[in-house]
Amino acid sequence: MAAPATATAAAPAAAPAHTPLASASLYVGDLDPNVTEPQLFEVFSVVGPVASIRVCRDAMTRRSLGYAYVNFHNVVDAERALDTLNYTNIKNKACRIMWKHRDPSIRKSGQGNIFIKNLDKNVDTRTLHDTFSQFGNILSCKVAMDDQGNSKGFGFVQFETAEEANEAMSKVNGMVLEDKRLFVGPFLPRGDRESSTSERRFTNVYVKNVPDDVTDEAFEAKFKEHGEVTSAKVMRKEDGTSKGFGFVNFKEPETAKKASEAINGTKAWGGEKTVYAGRAEKESERKEKLKKKYEAIRMERLKNNQLVNLYIKNLDDAIDDDKLRSTFEQFGTITSAKVMKDKERPDVSKGFGFVCFSAPEEATRAVTAMNGQMVGSKPIYVALHQPIEIRRQMQAAQGARQGPQMLPRFQVQGGMGMPPQMPMGFPGRNGGPGGVFMFPQQMGGPPQQFRGQPYGGRNQGGYQQMGGQQGRQQNRQAGQAYQQGQPGGRAAGQQQQPRAVAGANNQPAQRQGQKAGGVQMTGQARNMPQQMPAQQPGAAPQQAPVPAIPPSSMSKEQLMSMVVNAPPGQAKQILGERLYALIQTEQGPLAGKITGMLLEGLDNSELVALIDDHAALHGKIQEALAALEAHRQQQTTPSA
């Protein structure tokens, strides 16, 4: 380990550690993603009784976020853990411990935060902490590392007060540590750095589109006309031929700016291409610019292709781009059709593709007509394409509608040790919606499982999937339900099943907070999907949850997404609820009968068209009213 640098003799003695509001909670950062609560308990329990430990995890993936909170029963033990366990290796990675601050303004304000650069590769976080600890109480200290665990050559130290940070900057700036002279200055957030350096000073100039026959001497001579050059180089391949670009470093920033402005956009050295000359950017800067550029292009493409781009899967291996286009061109103008191919085997289809139409109406007709149809030797699945961001938002929205979601945290009662051989872990996706600690003492039956189906699948909104004769009967029952004044009810054969009761003999299941062997599970962590009650053998299966937003209140995009992903019978019922809401505002009590007549007499594509075309809907309503009036007169006319 590198020895810490020696500051001046006038440096103050180390300030006593101050705990924020007598808190016994510690923040433990820079953790390996595979570190779990039991492993942290083994590390911190040697200091004193641990009250609870929680590793913070992502709400969707349940992966560790790389930090945790450790709560002790008293402040003395927490302070001893901070002094003795800081930078301890846990799974071959040094952890970083600091006091937990409930007020985020303390760490976000930047007060007392300094930036250190030009660090030697051998200087680690502990060495940096030892170097600056003599100037005051350090709240946080970190040396930036890359993915391989190697130092990036800079770090950060945050003191408790600004006075301590100013004294450290004045004493350590320019000092030599491990044969390197340090730069120590105030920390500036990235946004402030960019705004404060809008006119960036630079001496290194990047030049591209340099003619192949330009030598290093001619390259340097061109720039010497504008000021003193310290170095100039044309980058070349192994065989000595030019790569077409180079770098020039000036002594003064003013001359570098002047030269880049004079040569940029010209055809210097008599070449055919226009030369570019500008500030030499770091690789990270170039990647960030390209990322923003490509993201803007992608978002513009998604905006233009909204509701017109179709996703088709289960394609026959013989289907290529031309056959895919010819299959769908009967529904409208196709702007693009593409069958996705294997990267390693370009001739092998992946079994799915995309078709983009010029108008949303054409795409809707194609989805309604082609979903489930035989193309080649396979029935294809057709739906509106949804970007991954939208799918993630729908999943997050569904999780939010399920109510507060808590992840039990590991808690030890009364400072007692962990029971030996306690089974705990985080099951995968097949084991439930998220990871929980399982204790045999708390399990009164089979493991509990979340039985709700994710929103957006084939059985969306709790509608049951039916096909063949049963599906056609479902359509007739849907129309009859509306005629009987049951727009929101279920058709025959879809009666709601009773919810199973957890525990034997109808006794409530044990709470998660029950004690077991000195260990308690508490629901104080966030973002854990709620578990459904355990189901007794022989009990009826639970019904899939009904969406919080009914079809009558959905936006056009949400409704179309739900319709195209549902079988025809279910899609008709979804459209019926939307039409009922529109008809009810005009006809009131007759809305149910009119909606049922429309469902029985029109197909799905015609129903979709009525939702957007109010004039056509009004015409259909008048036709239905005329039919009802004729039927009424026929019933009231006495037979001859």
Side-chain angles (χ1 to χ4, degrees):
M1 180 182 298
T6 304
T8 59
H18 301 288
T19 60
L21 302 178
S23 171
S25 300
L26 296 179
Y27 164 88
V28 185
D30 298 343
L31 293 176
D32 185 90
N34 298 318
V35 172
T36 61
E37 284 89 345
Q39 293 169 340
L40 291 177
F41 178 83
E42 293 178 1
V43 175
F44 286 90
S45 62
V46 299
V47 177
V50 177
S52 62
I53 299 175
R54 176 165 65 91
V55 174
C56 296
R57 302 181 180 276
D58 184 86
M60 298 297 295
T61 64
R62 311 311 306 159
R63 286 181 54 85
S64 170
L65 297 177
Y67 65 94
Y69 293 100
V70 178
N71 301 316
F72 287 87
H73 285 287
N74 57 73
V75 178
V76 176
D77 294 335
E79 188 172 353
R80 186 184 303 115
L82 179 63
D83 295 336
T84 60
L85 299 179
N86 206 2
Y87 313 118
T88 299
N89 283 334
I90 303 178
K91 295 186 77 70
N92 299 323
K93 190 173 182 181
C95 68
R96 179 168 54 94
I97 306 175
M98 56 183 291
W99 291 109
K100 175 186 176 182
H101 291 275
R102 293 186 177 273
D103 186 5
S105 61
I106 298 177
R107 59 179 183 271
K108 292 182 178 180
S109 64
Q111 179 182 357
N113 204 355
I114 62 176
F115 169 70
I116 306 99
K117 71 176 181 179
N118 201 31
L119 292 172
D120 188 83
K121 298 296 183 181
N122 296 322
V123 176
D124 56 10
T125 302
R126 185 187 294 273
T127 304
L128 190 66
H129 184 279
D130 294 342
T131 301
F132 286 89
S133 60
Q134 54 186 314
F135 299 103
N137 183 36
I138 295 177
L139 299 179
S140 177
C141 178
K142 183 176 182 178
V143 172
M145 300 288 184
D146 58 19
D147 296 337
Q148 287 73 36
N150 301 319
S151 172
K152 291 184 177 181
F154 64 90
F156 308 91
V157 176
Q158 184 172 10
F159 288 92
E160 194 170 41
T161 64
E163 292 74 14
E164 297 170 346
N166 293 333
E167 184 173 4
M169 287 188 289
S170 62
K171 297 292 180 62
V172 184
N173 187 32
M175 195 172 62
V176 177
L177 177 63
E178 292 289 338
D179 299 329
K180 284 195 173 184
R181 191 171 299 277
L182 302 181
F183 168 82
V184 184
F187 167 76
L188 292 176
R190 184 181 299 273
D192 296 344
R193 293 199 300 269
E194 293 177 353
S195 60
S196 63
T197 58
S198 55
E199 290 292 334
R200 299 192 62 169
R201 294 165 60 85
F202 60 94
T203 58
N204 199 12
V205 178
Y206 167 71
V207 188
K208 72 175 182 178
N209 293 336
V210 179
D212 295 340
D213 57 349
V214 174
T215 62
D216 291 348
E217 292 76 12
F219 183 70
E220 181 176 357
K222 188 67 176 178
F223 285 94
K224 276 187 175 180
E225 300 174 1
H226 304 281
E228 183 178 353
V229 175
T230 59
S231 64
K233 180 70 175 177
V234 176
M235 306 308 294
R236 301 186 181 278
K237 303 175 184 178
E238 295 181 356
D239 58 1
T241 58
S242 172
K243 290 185 177 180
F245 69 92
F247 297 91
V248 181
N249 193 59
F250 287 86
K251 185 177 181 180
E252 300 294 336
E254 292 77 11
T255 56
K257 181 179 179 181
K258 178 182 176 182
S260 60
E261 292 176 350
I263 296 179
N264 184 41
T266 65
K267 293 185 178 180
W269 302 286
E272 298 180 355
K273 296 182 179 180
T274 301
V275 175
Y276 168 82
R279 181 179 66 87
E281 299 176 341
K282 297 180 180 179
E283 182 180 4
S284 58
E285 293 181 83
R286 298 196 301 273
K287 287 183 177 180
E288 186 67 22
K289 285 185 177 180
L290 291 174
K291 181 180 178 181
K292 291 181 179 179
K293 177 182 177 181
Y294 293 144
E295 183 67 18
I297 295 175
R298 190 177 68 89
M299 294 306 295
E300 182 67 21
R301 186 184 298 116
L302 290 176
K303 181 180 179 181
N304 295 335
N305 293 341
Q306 189 176 16
L307 298 179
V308 296
N309 196 17
L310 301 185
Y311 166 70
I312 302 99
K313 71 176 181 180
N314 201 33
L315 290 173
D316 190 276
D317 294 339
I319 302 296
D320 56 11
D321 296 348
D322 295 334
K323 292 182 180 179
L324 184 64
R325 178 184 289 269
S326 62
T327 302
F328 284 87
E329 63 184 1
Q330 57 181 313
F331 302 103
T333 304
I334 295 177
T335 59
S336 65
K338 180 70 175 177
V339 175
M340 306 308 294
K341 304 287 187 178
D342 192 291
K343 291 183 178 180
E344 298 180 355
R345 297 175 296 174
D347 297 334
V348 178
S349 169
K350 287 187 175 182
F352 69 93
F354 302 91
V355 175
C356 188
F357 286 89
S358 60
E361 295 78 11
E362 300 170 349
T364 302
R365 287 198 300 266
V367 170
T368 305
M370 295 301 297
N371 187 30
Q373 296 296 319
M374 295 291 296
V375 176
S377 60
K378 294 182 178 180
I380 62 173
Y381 168 81
V382 185
L384 283 174
H385 172 251
Q386 288 182 334
I388 187 172
E389 293 84 0
I390 296 179
R391 295 197 297 272
R392 288 176 177 174
Q393 290 174 5
M394 292 177 63
Q395 293 174 355
Q398 181 195 8
R401 289 195 299 268
Q402 294 173 356
Q405 300 178 348
M406 310 295 287
L407 172 64
R409 71 178 179 181
F410 178 74
Q411 182 166 350
V412 183
Q413 296 294 330
M416 299 179 63
M418 190 189 308
Q421 298 180 352
M422 182 155 40
M424 53 180 61
F426 292 89
R429 290 188 178 272
N430 296 332
V436 297
F437 291 106
M438 303 298 293
F439 295 93
Q441 298 91 335
Q442 293 177 303
M443 297 169 59
Q448 301 175 2
Q449 295 183 358
F450 184 79
R451 300 189 178 273
Q453 188 172 359
Y455 184 79
R458 292 284 294 191
N459 295 338
Q460 295 186 16
Y463 296 105
Q464 297 180 0
Q465 181 175 355
M466 297 185 179
Q469 181 65 27
Q470 187 179 5
R472 290 190 291 273
Q473 182 181 2
Q474 165 75 16
N475 296 342
R476 292 194 296 270
Q477 292 169 346
Q480 294 171 3
Y482 279 95
Q483 297 185 34
Q484 296 170 3
Q486 302 173 0
R490 298 177 179 271
Q494 281 188 294
Q495 297 178 356
Q496 186 174 2
Q497 301 292 344
R499 185 179 298 273
V501 181
N505 300 325
N506 293 338
Q507 296 296 325
Q510 290 181 326
R511 299 178 180 268
Q512 289 184 349
Q514 289 183 337
K515 298 180 181 179
V519 182
Q520 181 180 0
M521 303 295 296
T522 62
Q524 298 182 7
R526 299 179 299 171
N527 301 331
M528 177 62 207
Q530 295 177 337
Q531 288 187 338
M532 303 296 290
Q535 184 173 345
Q536 284 189 359
Q542 294 180 351
Q543 197 79 358
V546 177
I549 305 177
S552 59
S553 303
M554 289 183 178
S555 64
K556 177 66 181 300
E557 293 78 7
Q558 291 174 322
L559 182 68
M560 287 295 96
S561 175
M562 196 171 183
V563 168
V564 300
N565 289 300
Q570 299 176 16
K572 186 178 289 289
Q573 188 170 354
I574 297 169
L575 294 172
E577 292 195 22
R578 183 58 169 264
L579 286 172
Y580 177 84
L582 298 175
I583 299 172
Q584 188 180 34
T585 59
E586 183 176 344
Q587 296 299 327
L590 295 177
K593 291 185 177 181
I594 297 175
T595 304
M597 295 171 66
L598 296 181
L599 292 180
E600 291 184 357
L602 302 176
D603 58 25
N604 288 355
S605 60
E606 293 173 316
L607 294 175
V608 171
L610 291 180
I611 294 176
D612 291 331
D613 192 344
H614 294 286
L617 177 61
H618 181 73
K620 293 294 183 182
I621 292 175
Q622 296 304 317
E623 293 178 8
L625 290 175
L628 289 174
E629 179 64 21
H631 178 72
R632 185 185 66 81
Q633 293 179 359
Q634 183 180 2
Q635 294 294 330
T636 57
T637 301
S639 57

